[in-house]
Amino acid sequence: MDVKDEDTSEESKKNHISYYRSLNKVISEIKEEKEQEGEPAIKNHLDKRIEAMEKDKERIRDMFPNIKEEEWNGNTN
């Protein structure tokens, strides 16, 4: 993966952490929606969306390997 300096700046880091946390929220909502869904095709579609978001989360974590788990999840004190 090609990462530019501006991609790992302090502002970018803050923005990516925020986006990462929003992905967690959306994934959680999709999982809830999937539990309510009965149609296999729709469940499959929701699984694919979750999979894509998980890959995006992994890409972001790879960009900032020094961030601790607590910071990713918003559990900093």
Side-chain angles (χ1 to χ4, degrees), residues 8 18 20 23-24 26 33 37-38 43 51 54 56 68:
T8 57
S18 178
Y20 182 94
L23 285 174
N24 282 337
V26 172
E33 179 183 348
E37 184 56 56
K43 282 187 172 190
E51 184 180 316
E54 290 290 353
D56 207 18
K68 293 184 166 84

Side-chain angles (χ1 to χ4, degrees), residues 45-61:
H45 171 73
L46 295 173
D47 283 336
K48 297 293 181 188
R49 288 185 61 199
I50 291 170
E51 184 180 316
M53 288 182 213
E54 290 290 353
K55 285 181 182 179
D56 207 18
K57 284 174 49 180
E58 184 177 334
R59 178 190 62 80
I60 293 167
R61 288 185 77 133

